[in-house]
Amino acid sequence: MRSMWKGSVSFGLVSIPIQLYAATENKNVSLRQVHVADGGRIQYKRFCSIDGEEVPYSDIAKGYELPDGEMVVITDADLAELPLPTQRSIDVLEFVPLESIDPIRFDRTYYLEPQKNAVKPYIVLRDALQKASHVAIAKVAVRQRESLALLRVVDDVLVMTTMLWADEVRVPDFPFLHEDPPQIRSQEVTMAGSLIDSLSEPVFEPEKYSDSYREALESMIEAKAGGGETVGAPKQGEKAEVVDLMAALEASVSAAKKTRGPAKETKKAAGDGKAAAKKPAARARRPKSA
């Protein structure tokens, strides 16, 4: 794993330098968009909707569209001026029981590794959290966005999970919630409870389950590759050189035709086979006579 963020965990007067690592990874099979006829990759270019010109990354900023369609342009310099005290610090605000937080608020999870000079305070905080059976609520800014977060202990490592803000969780408002509920018989609830009991386990074991769709997709890819159902697409660099060369040749031919003029083209067409055979030498002498 590679560290993606360096900072410190701050609670009270204690500061623990740490490094942040993504705790999860996406195992989806990566598929590209390609041309079905030859397997060539589909490429996208960034164009301005006003002048139609292609825009390099260096000229791209962020924008906020107003209700009337006007755009507020926000540059990286503008964002750098915004106050962001938690940019390099995980500021602990309070400690609460984990059961008091609904998982709907959870976003992304990260591992916290102590830097070499901070192992002792790291272990003190870790052991204190385990003993208290609480999690720490904190503020942190990752990728220029401040978030709420909770710190807890997993496998003897401090783990940080970013959380959604209160106004980012939608309130369910469906029609059936405002209607009179249907009549439910006690036997139906009892039967549902029996089904739950029959499928209940003492603990959750994620290793028992697998992604059957991903496994089937990988098997299909292996079968196609093994059966020779592949397309040998040219390398992008080589393709770009061919395109540039063709463009240069076409431009050269067009320029040569304009320079030579229609009369010379006619003379060339009227020449006999012998003149045609000596064409390279004749072409070399024409500039001198001009």
Side-chain angles (χ1 to χ4, degrees):
M1 294 187 293
R2 293 183 179 180
S3 172
M4 56 174 292
W5 187 89
K6 289 184 179 182
S8 61
V9 177
S10 300
F11 66 106
L13 299 178
V14 179
S15 181
I16 308 173
I18 57 91
Q19 297 181 148
L20 199 69
Y21 299 83
T24 61
E25 59 181 334
N26 191 329
K27 288 289 188 177
N28 290 338
V29 178
S30 179
L31 300 176
R32 299 182 180 274
Q33 288 188 322
V34 298
H35 185 193
V36 68
D38 54 20
R41 297 180 183 179
I42 303 301
Q43 296 181 339
Y44 296 91
K45 295 183 178 181
R46 300 168 300 279
F47 286 94
C48 175
S49 60
I50 296 178
D51 60 21
E53 297 293 328
E54 186 174 358
V55 183
Y57 273 117
S58 59
D59 291 344
I60 295 179
K62 294 178 174 61
Y64 181 85
E65 187 172 359
L66 300 175
D68 60 0
E70 292 291 317
M71 192 70 68
V72 178
V73 178
I74 302 174
T75 65
D76 291 340
D78 295 328
L79 294 175
E81 294 179 356
L82 296 177
L84 198 59
T86 57
Q87 187 172 10
R88 289 298 173 192
S89 176
I90 303 172
D91 292 339
V92 175
L93 307 174
E94 60 182 1
F95 297 88
V96 301
L98 179 60
E99 296 77 15
S100 66
I101 305 173
D102 194 296
I104 196 173
R105 300 189 180 278
F106 295 165
D107 191 11
R108 297 191 177 187
T109 302
Y110 305 88
Y111 289 130
L112 274 60
E113 177 195 30
Q115 296 185 25
K116 292 183 178 180
N117 61 340
V119 175
K120 183 176 180 178
Y122 179 97
I123 293 178
V124 169
L125 175 59
R126 181 197 69 186
D127 293 351
L129 279 176
Q130 285 182 314
K131 185 176 181 180
S133 299
H134 276 48
V135 297
I137 301 299
K139 273 187 176 183
V140 63
V142 179
R143 297 190 178 97
Q144 294 295 321
R145 184 182 188 275
E146 190 171 60
S147 301
L148 274 178
L150 68 86
L151 299 179
R152 59 193 179 99
V153 182
V154 177
D155 296 332
D156 292 333
V157 174
L158 286 177
V159 169
M160 182 185 77
T161 300
T162 55
M163 296 192 299
L164 302 175
W165 296 100
D167 58 358
E168 292 181 316
V169 178
R170 295 174 176 174
V171 177
D173 187 18
F174 303 111
F176 82 93
L177 295 174
H178 307 288
E179 300 170 355
D180 294 333
Q183 293 296 322
I184 305 296
R185 295 184 298 169
S186 60
Q187 295 91 333
E188 294 171 329
V189 177
T190 301
M191 184 61 68
S194 299
L195 177 59
I196 292 174
D197 291 339
S198 67
L199 296 175
S200 295
E201 297 291 344
V203 294
F204 172 55
E205 300 177 9
E207 297 81 7
K208 297 192 305 183
Y209 307 98
S210 62
D211 187 344
S212 57
Y213 177 82
R214 188 182 78 196
E215 292 172 352
L217 179 58
E218 290 173 344
S219 297
M220 182 185 68
I221 292 173
E222 291 177 2
K224 282 180 172 288
E229 296 184 50
T230 59
V231 178
K235 294 182 179 180
Q236 295 300 313
E238 294 179 356
K239 183 177 180 180
E241 292 175 0
V242 171
V243 171
D244 293 341
L245 177 60
M246 288 300 297
L249 289 173
E250 290 175 355
S252 299
V253 171
S254 177
K257 288 182 177 180
K258 291 180 180 178
T259 302
R260 295 174 66 185
K264 294 182 180 180
E265 290 291 338
T266 304
K267 182 178 180 180
K268 173 187 173 183
D272 57 14
K274 184 177 180 180
K278 297 180 179 181
K279 188 187 303 181
R283 184 179 298 172
R285 291 194 300 269
R286 282 174 182 167
K288 294 181 181 179
S289 61

